[in-house]
Amino acid sequence: MFRHRFLTSSAVLAVLASAVTVAPAGAAATSSGGTRMISAGGTTALHATATGSGALAQPEIRSGLGDSAGVGTGSVSGMPAVKGPNRSQSSEHGSGSSDGQTAGAQTAAAALQVVTSFNGLNHRQQRLANGGNQFSVEPPDQGLCVGNGFILETVNDVMNVYDSSGTSLKGVTDLNSFYGYPPAIIRSPRFDGPFVTDPSCYFDKATQRWFHVVLTLDVKPLQPHAGALEGSNHLDIAVSQTASPLGTWTIYRIPVQDDGTMGTPNHHCTTSPYVITPDNPNACIGDYPHIGADANGFYITTNEYALFGPEFHGAQLYALSKRALARNDSSVGLTQISTQGLDNGNSGFTLWPAVAPADHYATANRGTEYFLSSNAADEAHGDGTAIGPRTSKQLLVWSLTNTASLDSASPTIHLSHSVLSVGRYAFPPSSVQKVGSTPLRDCLNDASCATTFLLGAPDPHAPNPEYKLDSNDTRMQQVVYANGKLWGALDTAIKVDGKVQAGIEWFAVRPSSEENGAQLVNQGYLAVKRNNVIYPAVAVTPGGEGVIAFTLVGPDHYPSAAFASINAAGVGPVQVAAEGLGPADGFSGYQVYNDPNPNRPRWGDYGAAVVDGSDIWIASEYIGQTCTFSSYVAAPFGSCNGTRTSLGNWYTRITRVHAAQGD
C-alpha cells in the first residue's frame, strides 16, 4: 500500500443557507395492488475476457440512439437517428450571469488523509474487452461498491474487482458477457448484441451480498438493420450468492418499457414515424437507473421517457424485498410506483435513493427509505417537452414508508414528499479544460490524417475547436442517509469574482418525522476560482463526517480526480487525489461523430463514493494519459503506447480517504 501525494487548495468557496421553509407537497402514492413477480433468469460470474487489438473498426460507435444512453449519437455507421431523452442540456445552455449564485469564502471541515489511490478502468480497457467486440463509449458512468476487502468498479461497459491495494483480482469483464448476452458488436459478419448501459453497484453489509444493476435496451441483431432499437428494455439485476463478488451471481430482469407488454403497466408513451419499425413502438425507456437500500428493501429509480417520442413520464420507483434477493429466491415481488403528477401536477425527476453506511437504516413507520430530487430541469414541469425555468430554489425530500411490508405477498408501501426552500441552483455552463495535446482533434483537422486513419475522407467540420466538457444539468447526484440526515449534492452554475462557472451545491437534511416535516440542517456551495467542479458524489460515515468526490477541471487543471471533506458545518478545502495528465480528447466532443445532432462532449453522468468502516472510497472520471500527435499516428495507430484508443482517452481514479472522526 502506498501513500499518494495530494494537493490542497485554499480556493474553495461556499455559501451557507440563510432561510429554511417548507412548501406544501403534492399528492402521495400507495402501492396496494401494484406488485408483480420477477423470476430469476440464470446465473453468472466475473470472467476476464480476451483482449482485442484496439485497431479502429467500423462501426466504432453505436448510433441511432438519440441521447438516451451515454454513447455517440452520430450517423457514422449509417444508422438513422431516433428520438431519445436528452439527459443534459448544459453545454452552451448555461444559466447565464443573472442566474449564477454568488459564492463567498468558507472552509468548515478539515483536510483529509489519502490512504490509497490507483487507476481504475479506462477507455482502452473498455474498448478492447471481449476480444475487441465492443463499441467506443463515452462517458464511463462510474459505479463503485466496497466490502470484505473487495473493491468492485463498474463503468460503461465493463467491470473489475480489486483488492485494497488496487491489484486486479479477476481482470476486465464486459457487461454483455456478465449478463449472458452476445457481444455488444461482432463486426464480421455483423451481429449486434443488446445495449447495456448505466451500471451501478452496492454491497449490503447486513445481508453480505453484492448487487449490480444496468439498463439493457434490446436491438435488432442482424442486417440490414442491425443495432436498431426494438423498443423493449429492462433493468437487469445481478445479486451475489456469497459474500464475495468473485463467486456466482443470480440474475433478475425487470421489463420497463411500460407499454402493457411483459407484465408492465401501460403509460401510453407516444411514438413517431419510423425508418425501421420497432417491435414495441409505444415503448417507454427506464433511463438513468440508480439504486439504494434500507433494512427491508432494494430500490431502483429511473427517469421514464417515451423511447420514440419526446415526452417525460415521471421518475419510476421499483421496490423489491432485499432479503428475497439476498436469498436468491426463484421469484421476487416487484412493486412499482410512478411519480407522474405527484408534485402538484408535476413529476418527480431523478429521485436518487439513499444508501446507509454500516446498517444505520431509518426504522420509523415500519421502515423508511429516503430520496432527494431537484426540480429545475424541464422534465420536472409538465411533460418535459417545453423549456422550463432551469433554475430553482426548491429541494424535494421523498419518504417511502412501511418498507417492512416488502417481505409480504402484498406490500403496501407509501411514497410522499415535502419541499424545502434552499439556495438557488441553475444549469451550469460547460467546463473549460486546460490547454494541452489533443491528437484526435489534430488528426481530424488534418485532411490527410483524417482520410488515411479516421474517416476515409477529410472531416467536413474541420477545423474542430478545443472542446469544453459537459457539466451535467441540475439533477440530484448520489444520496446517503447517515448521522440521522440525508446528504446529497448537484451541479449548478455559480458566480465567482463575477464570472459564472460550474460548481456544486450540497445539502444536509433532517428527513421528515411524524412531529414535523423535513428540515434543512445546512447547505452550501463549493467552487474553485477560475476552474470548475462537476459530477459530485457524496458519502458520509455514521459519525457525520464525509467526502464529496468530483472532477476538477479548468484553465489550471486538466480533468482531475478531486474531493473535499464535508460535515454538517460545511465543506473543507479541495484536495486533488490524481492530477489530470492531459485534456479529454474523445469522439463525443467532435461534430463528425455526432451528426446530425450537435456535439456534446460527454463527461461523468455520475461518479461514486462509499463508506467502508472509518474510511471512504471515492471514484471519479479523469484523464490519466497524454501523448503527442506523432505518438498518436505511430503504429499501432491511436494507441499512444497503449494508453488510449484512437477515439477516446478517459480514465477513472479510485481513492481511499481516511475520514475525520465524527461525534
Side-chain angles (χ1 to χ4, degrees), residues 190-209:
R190 175 73 181 270
F191 185 98
D192 283 37
F195 176 32
V196 181
T197 189
D198 286 355
S200 296
C201 68
Y202 167 70
F203 172 68
D204 186 68
K205 184 176 179 181
T207 61
Q208 291 289 295
R209 292 294 182 267

Side-chain angles (χ1 to χ4, degrees), residues 637-653:
F637 172 76
S639 78
C640 291
N641 297 313
T643 63
R644 61 165 294 161
T645 73
S646 55
L647 294 190
N649 69 332
W650 56 258
Y651 275 58
T652 65
R653 190 75 175 188

Side-chain angles (χ1 to χ4, degrees), residues 37-188:
M37 301 305 293
I38 302 299
S39 298
T43 60
T44 188
L46 281 82
H47 295 291
T49 54
T51 300
S53 69
L56 189 70
Q58 292 298 338
E60 188 64 44
I61 303 167
R62 192 189 289 269
S63 61
L65 294 176
D67 192 42
S68 64
V71 295
T73 58
S75 56
V76 173
S77 63
M79 291 299 299
V82 298
K83 293 183 179 180
N86 181 356
R87 298 195 305 190
S88 171
Q89 300 166 18
S90 68
S91 256
E92 296 305 323
H93 301 284
S95 59
S97 60
S98 62
D99 288 335
Q101 174 67 51
T102 300
Q106 180 213 5
T107 300
L112 299 177
Q113 174 189 352
V114 171
V115 179
T116 307
S117 188
F118 57 88
N119 281 336
L121 294 160
N122 62 47
H123 180 262
R124 184 173 178 82
Q125 291 173 314
Q126 175 268 313
R127 173 60 180 83
L128 271 59
N130 200 11
N133 292 312
Q134 298 266 94
F135 291 101
S136 286
V137 175
E138 292 188 328
D141 291 358
Q142 193 171 14
L144 187 74
C145 43
V146 179
N148 296 340
F150 299 106
I151 297 92
L152 191 159
E153 183 190 22
T154 182
V155 300
N156 285 327
D157 273 321
V158 288
M159 61 197 298
N160 202 357
V161 178
Y162 310 91
D163 66 16
S164 58
S165 67
T167 300
S168 174
L169 300 179
K170 273 289 188 179
V172 178
T173 300
D174 69 286
L175 297 186
N176 277 60
S177 294
F178 181 71
Y179 280 99
Y181 297 124
I185 172 70
I186 297 174
R187 294 179 171 86
S188 182

Side-chain angles (χ1 to χ4, degrees), residues 33 48 63 96 111 129 196 236 271 327 371 374 411 503 571 583 594 599 604 612 656:
S63 61
V196 181
D236 294 346
T271 189
R327 292 191 304 261
F371 313 74
S374 59
V571 295
N594 289 271
N599 65 307
D612 181 35
R656 182 183 181 185

Side-chain angles (χ1 to χ4, degrees), residues 107-468:
T107 300
L112 299 177
Q113 174 189 352
V114 171
V115 179
T116 307
S117 188
F118 57 88
N119 281 336
L121 294 160
N122 62 47
H123 180 262
R124 184 173 178 82
Q125 291 173 314
Q126 175 268 313
R127 173 60 180 83
L128 271 59
N130 200 11
N133 292 312
Q134 298 266 94
F135 291 101
S136 286
V137 175
E138 292 188 328
D141 291 358
Q142 193 171 14
L144 187 74
C145 43
V146 179
N148 296 340
F150 299 106
I151 297 92
L152 191 159
E153 183 190 22
T154 182
V155 300
N156 285 327
D157 273 321
V158 288
M159 61 197 298
N160 202 357
V161 178
Y162 310 91
D163 66 16
S164 58
S165 67
T167 300
S168 174
L169 300 179
K170 273 289 188 179
V172 178
T173 300
D174 69 286
L175 297 186
N176 277 60
S177 294
F178 181 71
Y179 280 99
Y181 297 124
I185 172 70
I186 297 174
R187 294 179 171 86
S188 182
R190 175 73 181 270
F191 185 98
D192 283 37
F195 176 32
V196 181
T197 189
D198 286 355
S200 296
C201 68
Y202 167 70
F203 172 68
D204 186 68
K205 184 176 179 181
T207 61
Q208 291 289 295
R209 292 294 182 267
W210 300 77
F211 296 78
H212 188 278
V213 172
V214 295
L215 168 66
T216 300
L217 294 88
D218 296 324
V219 302
K220 295 184 183 297
L222 301 174
Q223 295 286 47
H225 303 306
L229 294 175
E230 296 277 24
S232 54
N233 58 103
H234 33 99
L235 300 173
D236 294 346
I237 308 173
V239 185
S240 70
Q241 295 184 1
T242 70
S244 169
L246 303 179
T248 303
W249 301 58
T250 299
I251 296 175
Y252 301 86
R253 307 189 199 279
I254 303 173
V256 293
Q257 60 263 26
D258 286 355
D259 61 354
T261 64
M262 301 181 69
T264 64
N266 191 345
H267 289 175
H268 304 286
C269 283
T270 63
T271 189
S272 61
Y274 307 98
V275 175
I276 304 163
T277 303
D279 289 349
N280 294 71
N282 292 100
C284 308
I285 178 176
D287 190 42
Y288 205 63
H290 287 290
I291 59 180
D294 69 350
N296 307 300
F298 179 73
Y299 309 99
I300 309 173
T301 58
T302 66
N303 287 330
E304 186 170 280
Y305 299 84
L307 181 55
F308 301 110
E311 78 276 7
F312 180 65
H313 281 262
Q316 305 295 308
L317 165 62
Y318 300 90
L320 305 96
S321 165
K322 187 173 70 174
R323 296 179 186 87
L325 289 171
R327 292 191 304 261
N328 305 121
D329 285 0
S330 60
S331 61
V332 178
L334 168 71
T335 304
Q336 179 177 350
I337 296 177
S338 175
T339 68
Q340 188 174 30
L342 291 188
D343 185 27
N344 291 317
N346 294 315
S347 300
F349 175 63
T350 312
L351 270 68
W352 200 299
V355 295
D359 310 340
H360 286 247
Y361 305 119
T363 57
N365 301 306
R366 299 193 70 240
T368 301
E369 168 68 3
Y370 295 112
F371 313 74
L372 292 178
S373 69
S374 59
N375 65 357
D378 302 342
E379 291 91 334
H381 305 276
D383 66 358
T385 57
I387 296 177
R390 299 193 175 176
T391 182
S392 178
K393 293 183 178 181
Q394 293 185 333
L395 177 70
L396 280 65
V397 183
W398 301 79
S399 301
L400 183 73
T401 56
N402 196 30
T403 63
S405 70
L406 289 170
D407 286 327
S408 69
S410 300
T412 53
I413 51 178
H414 182 78
L415 181 68
S416 61
H417 76 283
S418 57
V419 183
L420 298 181
S421 293
V422 298
R424 181 183 297 277
Y425 53 88
F427 273 49
S430 51
S431 293
V432 175
Q433 303 187 76
K434 181 179 177 180
V435 175
S437 179
T438 53
L440 170 57
R441 169 177 168 262
D442 294 343
C443 188
L444 289 170
N445 288 343
D446 182 287
S448 175
C449 186
T451 301
T452 302
F453 294 112
L454 292 174
L455 305 175
D459 182 356
H461 304 283
N464 294 278
E466 295 183 15
Y467 67 72
K468 304 174 185 178

